[in-house]
């Protein structure tokens, strides 16, 4: 007798959550939102410098000579597309910009933890957050993100959105976009990157400083790379043989990608500290 009652309770809670989301989206439609017609004029990162103790010598300029090579999606190859979708948004081609089930799950986790640490963001939402909004974890900002993501999906195709995402992803320092990252880390076009290399490229943007292959969290980067590979296997993007081969592949990163940095160990220590204390958005764009 308890099962039907429990089922009614769950259905009732789901109905309330969907009603709440509908009300929130209706409220958001009345908010002052950024104009998507200006989306192509996306924000340009300002320069942030790390100086030595004298305040005269620039050890590292976070955005000096930003390296970004925008290329069409067709020239990126399948490996990086599959790896990125697998780890960031496995339902990318089936949702309309947001996933209500992910949002509800994130809301339940946040209610349990008493904070806003979970966001349930799709790739489309990440683009909105990184280009038109800020990264502050507030309810109004999140609601704006949902509405703008829905609108963005009406104006751009899925492939266009994925192309924007992969061309804009940060990889630490001055490197932006998968093509420039592949050239910097592996001395090859991204379309020629192996499955393992593509898994690394898909892993880094979540926290470019923390997951830097030249920083102190290489072990965590390796672990995230393996998570990407497992997701690719589970989603049918690669075969079990390809999974085992990519997991055991020894990937060598090009150390010349950090040659312009003076005192690299100190610089990466400072970058890691700044990102942990102030967040990536403030560090790279503030």
């Amino acid at each position: 007798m308890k099962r039907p009652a429990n089922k009614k309770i769950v259905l009732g809670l789901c109905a309330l959550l969907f009603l709440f989301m509908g009300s929130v989206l209706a409220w958001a439609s009345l908010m002052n939102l950024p104009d998507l017609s200006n989306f192509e004029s996306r924000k340009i990162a300002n320069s942030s410098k790390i100086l030595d103790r004298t305040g005269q010598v620039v050890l590292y300029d976070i955005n000096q000579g930003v390296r970004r090579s925008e290329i069409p999606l067709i020239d990126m190859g399948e490996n990086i597309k599959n790896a990125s979708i697998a780890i960031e948004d496995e339902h990318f081609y089936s949702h309309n910009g947001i996933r209500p089930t992910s949002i509800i799950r994130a809301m339940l986790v946040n209610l349990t933890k008493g904070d806003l640490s979970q966001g349930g963001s799709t790739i489309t939402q990440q683009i909105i957050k990184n280009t038109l909004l800020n990264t502050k974890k507030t309810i109004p900002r999140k609601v704006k993100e949902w509405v703008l993501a829905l609108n963005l999906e009406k104006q751009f195709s899925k492939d266009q959105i994925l192309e924007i995402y992969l061309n804009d992803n940060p990889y630490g320092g001055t490197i932006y976009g998968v093509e420039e990252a592949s050239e910097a880390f592996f001395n090859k076009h991204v379309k020629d990157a192996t499955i393992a290399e593509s898994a690394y490229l898909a892993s880094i943007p979540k926290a470019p400083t923390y997951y830097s292959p030249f920083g102190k969290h290489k072990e965590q980067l390796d672990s995230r790379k393996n998570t990407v590979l497992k997701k690719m296997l589970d989603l049918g993007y690669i075969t079990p043989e390809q999974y085992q081969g990519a997991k055991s592949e020894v990937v060598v990163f090009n150390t010349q990608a950090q040659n312009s940095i003076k005192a690299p160990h100190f610089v990466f220590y400072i970058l890691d500290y700044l990102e942990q204390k102030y967040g990536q958005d403030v560090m790279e764009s503030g």
Side-chain angles (χ1 to χ4, degrees), residues 27 144 150:
W27 166 60
K144 288 182 180 180
L150 290 169

Side-chain angles (χ1 to χ4, degrees), residues 153-179:
E153 293 255 353
K154 294 177 182 177
Q155 297 188 28
F156 293 86
S157 70
K158 285 290 188 179
D159 283 350
Q160 286 176 313
I161 291 172
L162 185 59
E163 180 180 303
I164 292 168
Y165 174 77
L166 293 174
N167 275 320
D168 278 6
N169 266 343
Y171 285 89
T174 62
I175 304 172
Y176 288 83
V178 292
E179 176 69 1

Side-chain angles (χ1 to χ4, degrees), residues 3-286:
R3 288 185 179 178
N6 290 338
K7 186 176 181 180
K8 287 182 180 179
I9 292 173
V10 172
L11 290 174
L13 288 173
C14 289
L16 286 173
L17 284 170
F18 276 107
L19 180 62
F20 170 74
M21 285 188 61
S23 301
V24 167
L25 291 176
W27 166 60
S29 66
L30 303 175
M31 298 174 70
N32 184 23
L33 299 173
D35 186 0
L36 280 180
S37 63
N38 298 322
F39 180 74
E40 295 301 328
S41 303
R42 299 192 287 282
K43 69 180 181 182
I44 299 174
N46 293 313
S47 183
S48 300
K49 297 178 175 64
I50 297 176
L51 309 175
D52 73 347
R53 70 175 66 187
T54 68
Q56 302 298 318
V57 178
V58 178
L59 300 177
Y60 188 57
D61 189 335
I62 291 176
N63 290 306
Q64 183 181 30
V66 170
R67 299 172 57 181
R68 186 199 307 266
S69 298
E70 294 191 2
I71 62 173
L73 188 68
I74 194 172
D75 291 341
M76 294 181 184
E78 292 300 312
N79 288 338
I80 186 59
K81 292 188 286 185
N82 292 339
S84 298
I85 290 173
I87 192 63
E88 294 293 344
D89 187 359
E90 63 182 86
H91 301 285
F92 174 71
Y93 280 103
S94 61
H95 63 62
N96 294 318
I98 63 174
R99 290 198 73 233
T101 52
S102 296
I103 293 172
I104 291 172
R105 188 184 308 115
M107 288 170 61
L108 292 174
V109 172
N110 290 337
L111 286 172
T112 302
K113 291 185 174 181
D115 59 26
L116 297 174
S117 59
Q118 298 294 312
S121 295
T122 63
I123 282 176
T124 313
Q125 288 175 251
Q126 291 181 49
I127 291 175
I128 294 297
K129 178 184 70 176
N130 294 329
T131 59
L132 296 178
L133 302 175
N134 55 53
T135 56
K136 293 180 180 178
K137 295 179 180 179
T138 63
I139 292 177
R141 190 210 61 78
K142 198 66 182 179
V143 173
K144 288 182 180 180
E145 181 185 298
W146 296 341
V147 176
L148 289 170
L150 290 169
N151 291 337
L152 188 67
E153 293 255 353
K154 294 177 182 177
Q155 297 188 28
F156 293 86
S157 70
K158 285 290 188 179
D159 283 350
Q160 286 176 313
I161 291 172
L162 185 59
E163 180 180 303
I164 292 168
Y165 174 77
L166 293 174
N167 275 320
D168 278 6
N169 266 343
Y171 285 89
T174 62
I175 304 172
Y176 288 83
V178 292
E179 176 69 1
E180 197 65 49
S182 184
E183 292 274 8
F185 293 143
F186 310 126
N187 284 322
K188 61 175 68 174
H189 295 296
V190 68
K191 66 179 180 181
D192 299 321
T194 66
I195 294 173
E197 290 169 343
S198 297
Y200 273 118
L201 290 176
S203 299
I204 295 173
K206 181 182 180 182
T209 302
Y210 182 85
Y211 287 118
S212 170
F214 311 122
K216 61 181 181 180
H217 300 118
K218 181 60 165 57
E219 184 177 333
Q220 288 83 348
L221 174 61
D222 292 338
S223 177
R224 182 164 168 79
K225 177 265 298 184
N226 289 335
T227 299
V228 174
L229 292 174
K230 184 60 167 61
K231 292 282 289 184
M232 293 177 74
L233 173 66
D234 293 342
L235 293 171
Y237 289 135
I238 56 176
T239 65
E241 292 74 22
Q242 288 175 315
Y243 168 72
Q244 291 298 336
K247 190 176 180 182
S248 60
E249 179 182 340
V250 178
V251 174
V252 178
F253 287 84
N254 175 27
T255 55
Q256 290 182 348
Q258 60 165 337
N259 275 353
S260 61
I261 304 175
K262 299 175 183 177
H265 292 291
F266 172 73
V267 165
F268 278 107
Y269 169 78
I270 294 298
L271 290 175
D272 187 48
Y273 169 79
L274 291 174
E275 184 171 326
Q276 302 253 353
K277 187 172 179 62
Y278 300 107
Q280 180 187 329
D281 185 65
V282 172
M283 182 181 74
E284 296 188 352
S285 309

